[in-house]
Each structure stands twice: as structure tokens, then as C-alpha cells.
Amino acid sequence: MASCRAWNLRVLVAVVCGLLTGIILGLGIWRIVIRIQRGKSTSSSSTPTEFCRNGGTWENGRCICTEEWKGLRCTIANFCENSTYMGFTFARIPVGRYGPSLQTCGKDTPNAGNPMAVRLCSLSLYGEIELQKVTIGNCNENLETLEKQVKDVTAPLNNISSEVQILTSDANKLTAENITSATRVVGQIFNTSRNASPEAKKVAIVTVSQLLDASEDAFQRVAATANDDALTTLIEQMETYSLSLGNQSVVEPNIAIQSANFSSENAVGPSNVRFSVQKGASSSLVSSSTFIHTNVDGLNPDAQTELQVLLNMTKNYTKTCGFVVYQNDKLFQSKTFTAKSDFSQKIISSKTDENEQDQSASVDMVFSPKYNQKEFQLYSYACVYWNLSAKDWDTYGCQKDKGTDGFLRCRCNHTTNFAVLMTFKKDYQYPKSLDILSNVGCALSITGLALTVIFQIVTRKVRKTSVTWVLVNLCISMLIFNLLFVFGIENSNKNLQTSDGDINNIDFDNNDIPRTDTINIPNPMCTAIAALLHYFLLVTFTWNALSAAQLYYLLIRTMKPLPRHFILFISLIGWGVPAIVVAITVGVIYSQNGNNPQWELDYRQEKICWLAIPEPNGVIKSPLLWSFIVPVTIILISNVVMFITISIKVLWKNNQNLTSTKKVSSMKKIVSTLSVAVVFGITWILAYLMLVNDDSIRIVFSYIFCLFNTTQGLQIFILYTVRTKIFQSEASKVLMLLSSIGRRKSLPSVTRPRLHVKMYNFLRSLPTLHERFRLLETSPSTEEITLSESDNAKESI
């Protein structure tokens, strides 16, 4: 009867384990199917990437084309084809730009490597694309020599302006020294005392537009090393020049200047002047995108408005006003505000012909925020102006205005260069809560690990052995990691997200200048969770390695005793080394980026509370690489080597004294091998298979990895607790107690026990089935290998 109960218990355990495995496998397959279906439905419903052609990108419901293309889908040519003229060859040139010749000055000339000529691609009066004549430069002149020549009051400014424009036509080659020299030359051309011709000044505007195509790093070096106020002087001269164009405009790809002259009107000037810049199909400014309206009631932005300025003039004797629009803020190198994104920050300047001390005009402005709404949310903004004396942004006299039309509104009580400094919060696609597969696997692992720890400690005296120290520490570290993973992996910032970057959620009373244009809400708790997850996962792998080392000593080097104080030594390694690694990692990152309020994101991710994924160009410096991947890889390689060694020399070594059948001994060997593989953490090798580029294959390996590793605690419980005779004996007593309680509540059945006994005796009489049932029994040899020998060794310490 006792053997019958033991048989029933083993069958029950096998059935339960089989059902759990089947459920988890089913959930994994179901999640894979759902994931694939979601991927198909998402790709079919979203805008196809092929809709915008020729490098165009889909932003805010329309295609944003490159300079060379235009139209609804960026399919209409907006360039001049390759050409040859007067012996000079020119590549494709976008409309409105000067293209440099492929022929460059010789190495023995002062202008070595720079183009010998340029050619303009423009639109005719009838809107047709056409090439202009070639402008040939002088290879014996460079920016430094021109800077010296322009100081002479008799210098030919027309020729110098043309030469500077040619020398700056290739913005990719411009250095900080080139920008400084070119800025000084252009500054002399716009100097009112030099009386340069209008043609020379218009060519100088082309030079300024070309300079704004230079790299941001080059401008930063200019601001850091320039000994004079070249950039500031140029900004002032652009303002002054904007008053001299009459009612005309000069528009280049990166700068637009327009004037309004009222001297021919009544003696009383207009009360309000409105200047508008419309959105274009590309990021460049075009001549048809700027407008001036006088005597208007107020601002009137529409869906095509990118920015709009209303000049309120309380004194009606103003005769001229001018406006300047800069495509980017490279001339305005701030010491307090740093732009990290590539979003264009347009600068707008307004000026009247009143005396500086008598400037009474106020300005109302609206800006349409232009940014990648798929990846970022507008967090806040500041209304600022460029303080020429401080050479930085300032908020004096400016304030925010609240609107309901989706525009950013500002108001200032003076005229100068204005901007809206926007700050963005990255619109992280926070992952959904853990799915059913992860929840079930982690719950089973937490339960199994807790029961294993309790069993190992409680049954110490019954088993007459010391506590399996390595196994208990491994289970404790894995248990804590699973608990942190389930309850702490999600970033609480996920609940703070605003929908679509709603402008109404912005604090309009706060007009402080931000430090950078991209921010992240700090979350010290998430950083702490990431550090704890980092620590306990390293502890788990360290105890995996120590378990492998201990088994290697016990099974391979059986004739040599364990080192003295082995338990103390491995405890210091298991819990101390990971703490040192985590402490050094956090300390180094903080020491390098502590001044940055967003230093946490150099250590952890924002989407989840885990180590940061490195950028493609920053893998070598990544904390994920050196503080996790490298040590884990070393541990896994050593564990695999010891696992193979133990499997070949011990687990699968032929034993001549084995009396069981070959089939039974093979099954016991498989179970023993699985027991060792689970404790060694061999299944974590599947993580490297998740790095393949194929999405379908990566999804499959992801779920296989999740299946094996979220249930690692359950596997340890089954292999190291359920299979022991002590656990089975105690579980039999519990089942007998439950069955006795059940029999008391119901009438006794005489037939069913007899049937059970008869069926059991019948099955035992069949040799084949008898051997099959013996597979469910505990293997003394396996238990000795995995547990008993380890415990006996510890008793001798």
C-alpha cells in the first residue's frame, strides 16, 4: 500500500510538471503568433516607407523633401543636372544654390584644394530651372589674404565679395579659421562706412547662407577661440542691412531679409506690421515663403505658418522696418543653452529705424514647433532674445502667451533677435507590462526558489548534512532578482507621459532659459532598481560559476580536499565581487557625467530600469559591455567548459557495475545532465542567439530564452527538491492527511482501493512498464552526484 502511494505521488508530480511545461510552451507559441500577427497588421496599416521618394521623410502628415526634390511625394526635380561649361565640370546643383566645380586649385597655390569656380542654379521668371554663368575664382587668393586686403579702404569690394563666396561654397571643408576670416570680410562689406555696392552686399548674403551650412562644431570653436566680436558684429550688421532694402527682399536657403519702407505713404506710419514665414516642402527658405502685411489687427497664423511676427509701433513716425530670418542658430553660440538635437531653431530679427534709445515698438510672435513628433514630445519652451552685450540669450522683457491653436506664443516689449528655445522630452515607447508568459514563469520560479531555500534549511538535520551553501546562495540571489524584475523593471515615468505633447500642459508662468533642448525626467528610484538588478544578476552568475567550480572539485579532483575556509572564500567572492563591479561602474559614470543632470541615462535605460544600450559608435565605452556582457561571457565560457568536462568524465562515463537496463541508465544520465546544466546557467547562452538580425528568428529565440530562464527557479525546485526522498516522504504524508480528511467527509469506498491495488499489481507485473515507472523514482546515484557528495565535502571543512 505504501508503494502504491509513492507511485501515485510520482505520477502526480509528473502530471503536474507536464501540465506546467505544456501550459508554458503553449503560452510561448501563442505569444509568438500574436507578435507576428501584430507586426503584419501594423506594417499594413501604417504609412508605407516608399510613399516619400528620393530621400524624403514623412513628418507630421506630409513628406519633407531634400533640397533636390519637391512635390507631394518628392518626385519633382528641383535641381540642375550635371553640366560642363568653359572647361569646368559641375555636379548636380539644387535650385537656389551655388555649386562648386570639380576642378580645384593646384597644390602649389595658396588656395589649394578649393574649387576654381562656382555656378548658380536658379529659377527663371517663368519658373523654369536654369543654370547661370560660371564665376571663376582666383587660386592665388584665400580667406586669410582676403581678410588682409579688405582692410584697405581702396580694396575692390565687389571682387573680394565674389572671391569669399567662391571660397565658402563647399561648407563641408570650412574650418573654424575659415569661418572667422569669412565673417570678418563680410563684416567689412556690410560696414556702412565702406559704401559697398548693393551687388557686393547681396553676394555677401550668399556667403552668410553658405557659412550657416558649416558644422556646429566649427562654430563652437569659433566662439571659443575668436578674440574679437566677429559673430556679434555680423548679427548687428544684418539688422542694419535689413532697413536698407526698401520694399525688397533677399532670400537664400539659410537666411531671408526683407524690408518695409513707408516713406512714400502718408506722414503717419502704420500702427502694426506683420511678417510671416510659411512652411516649405523642404527645410530651406525660398523667396515665396516670406510676406509682409501692414496695418493689420493682429496675428493671423494658419496651418501653413511656421513663424509670424507682429510689430506694434506706438509712435507713428516710423518709416522703415526690417526683418531677418536665420534658418538655424549657429551664429548665436550660447554659453547657457546647448542644442543636442538636430531640430532647426529659427531665429527672427525685427528692427525699426527709430533711435536705439527711443525704441518703443513691442513684438508679438507665434512659432510652430517643428520636430520629430514620432520620437519626441514638446516639454516646455522659453521666449528669449539675443543680448548683444552679454553675447547670450536673455529673457528680459519677454514672456509667454497662452494660446489654443497649437502655436507657441511670445511677447516682448522691445525689438531685436528673438527665438523660442524649445525643450523636448523623448517620447519613449515604454514596453507594456510583463506578458502572461513572463508572469507565469517568474511566479513559478519565485515559488520554486522560496520552497527550495526553505527545504534546504529546514531539512538540514533530517538529512544529517550541512546546508548546501552554494545552492542556497544561488537560489537567494535568483529569488531577489526575480522579485526585483517583476515589481521594479518598469519605469514609473511611464505613468507621467502626456498625450501628444499637449501645449496646454506647459507652465506659461515659467520663462527660465533651459540648459539643453532635450530633457529626461530624473528617476533615482529607477536608477537604484537598475543597480540592484545589475548586482543580483551578477551575483547569480557568480554563484553559477562557484557551483561549477565546487562540482569540479568534488567530481573531478576527488582525491584532493577543498581549500581551507572554502565556504568563507566563495561567500566573499559570490557577494563581494559583483558589488565591486557595480560600485566601480556607477562611480566612473558619475565622475565623468556628474555635472549633467541626465547622467543616469548613461548608466540605465529610460524605457526600463536596466543597463543602457550603447549607441552604435559608443559600444566600447558602454557600461553594459564591460560591467555585464564581458564578465557574464567569461563565466558562461568557463561553465560550459566545466559542464562538458563533468558530463564526459562523470555523468556519461560507462559504469561496469551498472545493473539497470541501458534505457534506464540513459534517462538517469539525462536527468543528471539537466540538473548540472540548470545550476551552471547554461541556458543563458540562448541570449546570444537573440542578437541575430532576422526579426522572425530573434522573436523565436526570445521566447525560448524567456521560457527557459524565467522558469529556472522552477527547474531547480523540481531537480533539487521534488526529486529528493525526504521531500517525497513529507509530500506523501501531506497527501495522506488530505485524503484521510476527504474520506471522513464522504462514505468509504471499498471497490476503488481494490481496483487501485489490482491495477498497480498488474502494471508492476509487466517488465517493460515496470522499468518505465522506475524512471520516476529518485536516482540515488544522481542525488549523490548533485547534492550528497557536496554536503559530505562541506562537513569535512
Side-chain angles (χ1 to χ4, degrees), residues 60-95:
N60 305 329
R62 63 183 183 134
C63 288
I64 302 298
C65 309
T66 60
E67 282 188 314
E68 298 179 347
W69 299 92
K70 62 182 180 179
L72 179 64
R73 301 181 61 187
C74 307
T75 55
I76 302 175
N78 191 45
F79 57 86
C80 295
E81 292 285 359
N82 300 347
S83 61
T84 301
Y85 187 78
M86 297 176 60
F88 296 104
T89 303
F90 299 89
R92 180 185 290 181
I93 307 173
V95 172

mmCIF file of all heavy atoms in Angstrom, residues 60-95:
data_model
loop_
_atom_site.group_PDB
_atom_site.id
_atom_site.type_symbol
_atom_site.label_atom_id
_atom_site.label_comp_id
_atom_site.label_asym_id
_atom_site.label_seq_id
_atom_site.Cartn_x
_atom_site.Cartn_y
_atom_site.Cartn_z
ATOM 1 N N ASN A 60 4.729 64.697 -39.654
ATOM 2 C CA ASN A 60 3.531 65.484 -39.356
ATOM 3 C C ASN A 60 2.528 65.490 -40.506
ATOM 4 O O ASN A 60 1.948 66.519 -40.869
ATOM 5 C CB ASN A 60 3.914 66.933 -39.006
ATOM 6 C CG ASN A 60 4.919 67.007 -37.878
ATOM 7 O OD1 ASN A 60 4.930 66.146 -37.003
ATOM 8 N ND2 ASN A 60 5.761 68.021 -37.889
ATOM 9 N N GLY A 61 2.350 64.334 -41.115
ATOM 10 C CA GLY A 61 1.314 64.193 -42.130
ATOM 11 C C GLY A 61 1.696 64.624 -43.526
ATOM 12 O O GLY A 61 0.823 64.754 -44.394
ATOM 13 N N ARG A 62 2.986 64.834 -43.803
ATOM 14 C CA ARG A 62 3.394 65.221 -45.151
ATOM 15 C C ARG A 62 4.836 64.816 -45.375
ATOM 16 O O ARG A 62 5.579 64.503 -44.425
ATOM 17 C CB ARG A 62 3.235 66.728 -45.365
ATOM 18 C CG ARG A 62 4.102 67.574 -44.457
ATOM 19 C CD ARG A 62 3.846 69.047 -44.653
ATOM 20 N NE ARG A 62 4.734 69.842 -43.824
ATOM 21 C CZ ARG A 62 5.397 70.900 -44.270
ATOM 22 N NH1 ARG A 62 5.268 71.273 -45.515
ATOM 23 N NH2 ARG A 62 6.170 71.589 -43.453
ATOM 24 N N CYS A 63 5.239 64.845 -46.648
ATOM 25 C CA CYS A 63 6.613 64.498 -46.996
ATOM 26 C C CYS A 63 7.499 65.742 -46.903
ATOM 27 O O CYS A 63 7.171 66.783 -47.482
ATOM 28 C CB CYS A 63 6.677 63.929 -48.413
ATOM 29 S SG CYS A 63 5.988 62.261 -48.580
ATOM 30 N N ILE A 64 8.592 65.636 -46.181
ATOM 31 C CA ILE A 64 9.602 66.678 -46.141
ATOM 32 C C ILE A 64 10.730 66.233 -47.066
ATOM 33 O O ILE A 64 11.411 65.239 -46.801
ATOM 34 C CB ILE A 64 10.122 66.909 -44.716
ATOM 35 C CG1 ILE A 64 8.969 67.270 -43.779
ATOM 36 C CG2 ILE A 64 11.183 67.986 -44.701
ATOM 37 C CD1 ILE A 64 8.250 68.550 -44.149
ATOM 38 N N CYS A 65 10.890 66.976 -48.158
ATOM 39 C CA CYS A 65 11.826 66.568 -49.201
ATOM 40 C C CYS A 65 13.212 67.134 -48.937
ATOM 41 O O CYS A 65 13.385 68.098 -48.190
ATOM 42 C CB CYS A 65 11.330 67.028 -50.573
ATOM 43 S SG CYS A 65 9.616 66.575 -50.946
ATOM 44 N N THR A 66 14.185 66.535 -49.588
ATOM 45 C CA THR A 66 15.516 67.122 -49.614
ATOM 46 C C THR A 66 15.509 68.312 -50.580
ATOM 47 O O THR A 66 14.540 68.548 -51.302
ATOM 48 C CB THR A 66 16.548 66.083 -50.059
ATOM 49 O OG1 THR A 66 16.206 65.629 -51.383
ATOM 50 C CG2 THR A 66 16.559 64.892 -49.108
ATOM 51 N N GLU A 67 16.602 69.064 -50.590
ATOM 52 C CA GLU A 67 16.651 70.264 -51.434
ATOM 53 C C GLU A 67 16.516 69.941 -52.912
ATOM 54 O O GLU A 67 16.082 70.782 -53.695
ATOM 55 C CB GLU A 67 17.971 71.004 -51.198
ATOM 56 C CG GLU A 67 18.006 71.819 -49.923
ATOM 57 C CD GLU A 67 19.250 72.669 -49.855
ATOM 58 O OE1 GLU A 67 20.337 72.142 -50.135
ATOM 59 O OE2 GLU A 67 19.117 73.861 -49.535
ATOM 60 N N GLU A 68 16.890 68.750 -53.291
ATOM 61 C CA GLU A 68 16.930 68.421 -54.717
ATOM 62 C C GLU A 68 15.592 67.971 -55.266
ATOM 63 O O GLU A 68 15.470 67.755 -56.479
ATOM 64 C CB GLU A 68 17.983 67.333 -54.957
ATOM 65 C CG GLU A 68 19.398 67.782 -54.589
ATOM 66 C CD GLU A 68 20.414 66.690 -54.805
ATOM 67 O OE1 GLU A 68 19.994 65.531 -55.004
ATOM 68 O OE2 GLU A 68 21.616 66.987 -54.779
ATOM 69 N N TRP A 69 14.588 67.803 -54.386
ATOM 70 C CA TRP A 69 13.296 67.310 -54.857
ATOM 71 C C TRP A 69 12.173 68.103 -54.207
ATOM 72 O O TRP A 69 12.340 68.703 -53.146
ATOM 73 C CB TRP A 69 13.139 65.816 -54.543
ATOM 74 C CG TRP A 69 14.167 64.961 -55.198
ATOM 75 C CD1 TRP A 69 15.365 64.578 -54.690
ATOM 76 C CD2 TRP A 69 14.100 64.425 -56.523
ATOM 77 N NE1 TRP A 69 16.063 63.827 -55.586
ATOM 78 C CE2 TRP A 69 15.308 63.707 -56.735
ATOM 79 C CE3 TRP A 69 13.153 64.462 -57.540
ATOM 80 C CZ2 TRP A 69 15.578 63.043 -57.922
ATOM 81 C CZ3 TRP A 69 13.419 63.802 -58.735
ATOM 82 C CH2 TRP A 69 14.614 63.108 -58.918
ATOM 83 N N LYS A 70 11.014 68.090 -54.842
ATOM 84 C CA LYS A 70 9.837 68.760 -54.310
ATOM 85 C C LYS A 70 8.601 68.009 -54.790
ATOM 86 O O LYS A 70 8.696 67.046 -55.546
ATOM 87 C CB LYS A 70 9.791 70.228 -54.762
ATOM 88 C CG LYS A 70 9.704 70.417 -56.277
ATOM 89 C CD LYS A 70 9.723 71.895 -56.638
ATOM 90 C CE LYS A 70 9.645 72.081 -58.157
ATOM 91 N NZ LYS A 70 9.647 73.522 -58.540
ATOM 92 N N GLY A 71 7.443 68.459 -54.316
ATOM 93 C CA GLY A 71 6.199 67.813 -54.699
ATOM 94 C C GLY A 71 5.604 67.025 -53.548
ATOM 95 O O GLY A 71 6.200 66.874 -52.473
ATOM 96 N N LEU A 72 4.404 66.490 -53.793
ATOM 97 C CA LEU A 72 3.690 65.761 -52.749
ATOM 98 C C LEU A 72 4.473 64.571 -52.247
ATOM 99 O O LEU A 72 4.510 64.293 -51.048
ATOM 100 C CB LEU A 72 2.320 65.314 -53.287
ATOM 101 C CG LEU A 72 1.439 64.523 -52.325
ATOM 102 C CD1 LEU A 72 1.049 65.382 -51.131
ATOM 103 C CD2 LEU A 72 0.205 63.995 -53.034
ATOM 104 N N ARG A 73 5.131 63.854 -53.175
ATOM 105 C CA ARG A 73 5.881 62.660 -52.803
ATOM 106 C C ARG A 73 7.366 62.803 -53.093
ATOM 107 O O ARG A 73 8.072 61.815 -53.178
ATOM 108 C CB ARG A 73 5.317 61.445 -53.536
ATOM 109 C CG ARG A 73 3.852 61.174 -53.261
ATOM 110 C CD ARG A 73 3.372 59.938 -54.001
ATOM 111 N NE ARG A 73 4.095 58.755 -53.577
ATOM 112 C CZ ARG A 73 3.960 57.553 -54.168
ATOM 113 N NH1 ARG A 73 3.137 57.411 -55.202
ATOM 114 N NH2 ARG A 73 4.646 56.527 -53.730
ATOM 115 N N CYS A 74 7.823 64.044 -53.253
ATOM 116 C CA CYS A 74 9.241 64.319 -53.536
ATOM 117 C C CYS A 74 9.682 63.654 -54.839
ATOM 118 O O CYS A 74 10.751 63.025 -54.918
ATOM 119 C CB CYS A 74 10.141 63.861 -52.389
ATOM 120 S SG CYS A 74 9.665 64.521 -50.781
ATOM 121 N N THR A 75 8.861 63.804 -55.854
ATOM 122 C CA THR A 75 9.166 63.191 -57.155
ATOM 123 C C THR A 75 9.451 64.218 -58.240
ATOM 124 O O THR A 75 9.776 63.833 -59.360
ATOM 125 C CB THR A 75 7.986 62.304 -57.602
ATOM 126 O OG1 THR A 75 6.780 63.077 -57.596
ATOM 127 C CG2 THR A 75 7.819 61.109 -56.661
ATOM 128 N N ILE A 76 9.328 65.509 -57.955
ATOM 129 C CA ILE A 76 9.580 66.563 -58.937
ATOM 130 C C ILE A 76 10.991 67.083 -58.742
ATOM 131 O O ILE A 76 11.376 67.491 -57.629
ATOM 132 C CB ILE A 76 8.547 67.704 -58.802
ATOM 133 C CG1 ILE A 76 7.130 67.154 -58.979
ATOM 134 C CG2 ILE A 76 8.834 68.799 -59.821
ATOM 135 C CD1 ILE A 76 6.052 68.190 -58.743
ATOM 136 N N ALA A 77 11.771 67.099 -59.806
ATOM 137 C CA ALA A 77 13.165 67.529 -59.722
ATOM 138 C C ALA A 77 13.249 68.995 -59.345
ATOM 139 O O ALA A 77 12.489 69.832 -59.844
ATOM 140 C CB ALA A 77 13.876 67.269 -61.035
ATOM 141 N N ASN A 78 14.186 69.300 -58.461
ATOM 142 C CA ASN A 78 14.423 70.679 -58.026
ATOM 143 C C ASN A 78 15.920 70.949 -58.066
ATOM 144 O O ASN A 78 16.501 71.492 -57.139
ATOM 145 C CB ASN A 78 13.856 70.886 -56.616
ATOM 146 C CG ASN A 78 13.825 72.342 -56.207
ATOM 147 O OD1 ASN A 78 13.423 73.203 -56.975
ATOM 148 N ND2 ASN A 78 14.269 72.627 -54.986
ATOM 149 N N PHE A 79 16.551 70.567 -59.186
ATOM 150 C CA PHE A 79 17.990 70.699 -59.309
ATOM 151 C C PHE A 79 18.365 70.857 -60.774
ATOM 152 O O PHE A 79 17.572 70.586 -61.682
ATOM 153 C CB PHE A 79 18.699 69.474 -58.730
ATOM 154 C CG PHE A 79 18.270 68.167 -59.362
ATOM 155 C CD1 PHE A 79 18.876 67.711 -60.529
ATOM 156 C CD2 PHE A 79 17.251 67.413 -58.805
ATOM 157 C CE1 PHE A 79 18.483 66.515 -61.108
ATOM 158 C CE2 PHE A 79 16.853 66.222 -59.386
ATOM 159 C CZ PHE A 79 17.471 65.768 -60.538
ATOM 160 N N CYS A 80 19.597 71.293 -60.978
ATOM 161 C CA CYS A 80 20.189 71.351 -62.302
ATOM 162 C C CYS A 80 21.091 70.135 -62.484
ATOM 163 O O CYS A 80 21.873 69.793 -61.586
ATOM 164 C CB CYS A 80 21.004 72.630 -62.475
ATOM 165 S SG CYS A 80 20.017 74.150 -62.407
ATOM 166 N N GLU A 81 20.969 69.502 -63.637
ATOM 167 C CA GLU A 81 21.742 68.291 -63.892
ATOM 168 C C GLU A 81 23.242 68.603 -63.997
ATOM 169 O O GLU A 81 23.647 69.769 -64.062
ATOM 170 C CB GLU A 81 21.259 67.640 -65.195
ATOM 171 C CG GLU A 81 19.848 67.068 -65.107
ATOM 172 C CD GLU A 81 19.802 65.768 -64.316
ATOM 173 O OE1 GLU A 81 20.879 65.315 -63.848
ATOM 174 O OE2 GLU A 81 18.703 65.207 -64.176
ATOM 175 N N ASN A 82 24.039 67.545 -64.010
ATOM 176 C CA ASN A 82 25.475 67.697 -64.196
ATOM 177 C C ASN A 82 25.741 68.497 -65.471
ATOM 178 O O ASN A 82 25.070 68.313 -66.501
ATOM 179 C CB ASN A 82 26.156 66.336 -64.298
ATOM 180 C CG ASN A 82 25.928 65.501 -63.048
ATOM 181 O OD1 ASN A 82 25.482 66.022 -62.034
ATOM 182 N ND2 ASN A 82 26.253 64.220 -63.128
ATOM 183 N N SER A 83 26.733 69.373 -65.391
ATOM 184 C CA SER A 83 26.984 70.248 -66.535
ATOM 185 C C SER A 83 28.481 70.518 -66.682
ATOM 186 O O SER A 83 29.265 70.330 -65.737
ATOM 187 C CB SER A 83 26.232 71.581 -66.372
ATOM 188 O OG SER A 83 26.675 72.259 -65.203
ATOM 189 N N THR A 84 28.835 70.952 -67.868
ATOM 190 C CA THR A 84 30.210 71.366 -68.165
ATOM 191 C C THR A 84 30.143 72.683 -68.921
ATOM 192 O O THR A 84 29.399 72.823 -69.905
ATOM 193 C CB THR A 84 30.936 70.318 -69.013
ATOM 194 O OG1 THR A 84 30.962 69.074 -68.310
ATOM 195 C CG2 THR A 84 32.362 70.761 -69.318
ATOM 196 N N TYR A 85 30.923 73.665 -68.471
ATOM 197 C CA TYR A 85 30.893 74.989 -69.093
ATOM 198 C C TYR A 85 32.258 75.634 -68.933
ATOM 199 O O TYR A 85 32.828 75.638 -67.825
ATOM 200 C CB TYR A 85 29.816 75.850 -68.429
ATOM 201 C CG TYR A 85 29.581 77.184 -69.089
ATOM 202 C CD1 TYR A 85 28.822 77.279 -70.267
ATOM 203 C CD2 TYR A 85 30.119 78.340 -68.553
ATOM 204 C CE1 TYR A 85 28.598 78.504 -70.873
ATOM 205 C CE2 TYR A 85 29.905 79.582 -69.152
ATOM 206 C CZ TYR A 85 29.140 79.662 -70.315
ATOM 207 O OH TYR A 85 28.927 80.881 -70.918
ATOM 208 N N MET A 86 32.779 76.119 -70.032
ATOM 209 C CA MET A 86 34.085 76.783 -70.045
ATOM 210 C C MET A 86 35.179 75.893 -69.458
ATOM 211 O O MET A 86 36.100 76.357 -68.786
ATOM 212 C CB MET A 86 34.022 78.114 -69.280
ATOM 213 C CG MET A 86 33.072 79.139 -69.881
ATOM 214 S SD MET A 86 32.968 80.645 -68.869
ATOM 215 C CE MET A 86 34.671 81.213 -68.882
ATOM 216 N N GLY A 87 35.057 74.597 -69.708
ATOM 217 C CA GLY A 87 36.070 73.665 -69.235
ATOM 218 C C GLY A 87 35.914 73.243 -67.792
ATOM 219 O O GLY A 87 36.724 72.451 -67.289
ATOM 220 N N PHE A 88 34.879 73.739 -67.105
ATOM 221 C CA PHE A 88 34.634 73.375 -65.713
ATOM 222 C C PHE A 88 33.454 72.417 -65.638
ATOM 223 O O PHE A 88 32.430 72.614 -66.325
ATOM 224 C CB PHE A 88 34.347 74.613 -64.858
ATOM 225 C CG PHE A 88 35.498 75.569 -64.772
ATOM 226 C CD1 PHE A 88 35.482 76.745 -65.511
ATOM 227 C CD2 PHE A 88 36.602 75.296 -63.975
ATOM 228 C CE1 PHE A 88 36.533 77.642 -65.447
ATOM 229 C CE2 PHE A 88 37.658 76.186 -63.896
ATOM 230 C CZ PHE A 88 37.631 77.357 -64.642
ATOM 231 N N THR A 89 33.578 71.406 -64.799
ATOM 232 C CA THR A 89 32.524 70.399 -64.633
ATOM 233 C C THR A 89 31.850 70.598 -63.286
ATOM 234 O O THR A 89 32.530 70.783 -62.258
ATOM 235 C CB THR A 89 33.109 68.980 -64.718
ATOM 236 O OG1 THR A 89 33.793 68.830 -65.959
ATOM 237 C CG2 THR A 89 32.002 67.935 -64.613
ATOM 238 N N PHE A 90 30.515 70.533 -63.308
ATOM 239 C CA PHE A 90 29.729 70.741 -62.090
ATOM 240 C C PHE A 90 28.798 69.550 -61.876
ATOM 241 O O PHE A 90 28.203 69.036 -62.832
ATOM 242 C CB PHE A 90 28.900 72.027 -62.185
ATOM 243 C CG PHE A 90 29.723 73.270 -62.350
ATOM 244 C CD1 PHE A 90 30.074 73.724 -63.625
ATOM 245 C CD2 PHE A 90 30.170 73.977 -61.249
ATOM 246 C CE1 PHE A 90 30.835 74.854 -63.781
ATOM 247 C CE2 PHE A 90 30.934 75.122 -61.396
ATOM 248 C CZ PHE A 90 31.273 75.560 -62.667
ATOM 249 N N ALA A 91 28.715 69.107 -60.636
ATOM 250 C CA ALA A 91 27.784 68.037 -60.293
ATOM 251 C C ALA A 91 26.376 68.611 -60.175
ATOM 252 O O ALA A 91 26.132 69.791 -60.452
ATOM 253 C CB ALA A 91 28.215 67.368 -58.995
ATOM 254 N N ARG A 92 25.442 67.803 -59.774
ATOM 255 C CA ARG A 92 24.059 68.243 -59.604
ATOM 256 C C ARG A 92 23.999 69.375 -58.576
ATOM 257 O O ARG A 92 24.580 69.299 -57.502
ATOM 258 C CB ARG A 92 23.212 67.063 -59.144
ATOM 259 C CG ARG A 92 21.758 67.377 -58.925
ATOM 260 C CD ARG A 92 21.038 66.177 -58.344
ATOM 261 N NE ARG A 92 20.918 65.097 -59.313
ATOM 262 C CZ ARG A 92 20.312 63.946 -59.058
ATOM 263 N NH1 ARG A 92 19.783 63.728 -57.857
ATOM 264 N NH2 ARG A 92 20.224 63.012 -59.982
ATOM 265 N N ILE A 93 23.243 70.427 -58.905
ATOM 266 C CA ILE A 93 23.153 71.611 -58.045
ATOM 267 C C ILE A 93 21.690 71.857 -57.701
ATOM 268 O O ILE A 93 20.858 72.021 -58.601
ATOM 269 C CB ILE A 93 23.734 72.854 -58.748
ATOM 270 C CG1 ILE A 93 25.156 72.598 -59.250
ATOM 271 C CG2 ILE A 93 23.710 74.057 -57.800
ATOM 272 C CD1 ILE A 93 25.717 73.718 -60.094
ATOM 273 N N PRO A 94 21.319 71.919 -56.427
ATOM 274 C CA PRO A 94 19.933 72.240 -56.052
ATOM 275 C C PRO A 94 19.582 73.676 -56.442
ATOM 276 O O PRO A 94 20.447 74.552 -56.498
ATOM 277 C CB PRO A 94 19.922 72.059 -54.520
ATOM 278 C CG PRO A 94 21.114 71.226 -54.215
ATOM 279 C CD PRO A 94 22.135 71.566 -55.254
ATOM 280 N N VAL A 95 18.307 73.904 -56.696
ATOM 281 C CA VAL A 95 17.843 75.232 -57.053
ATOM 282 C C VAL A 95 18.102 76.191 -55.893
ATOM 283 O O VAL A 95 17.829 75.886 -54.733
ATOM 284 C CB VAL A 95 16.340 75.200 -57.405
ATOM 285 C CG1 VAL A 95 15.804 76.620 -57.585
ATOM 286 C CG2 VAL A 95 16.113 74.388 -58.669
#
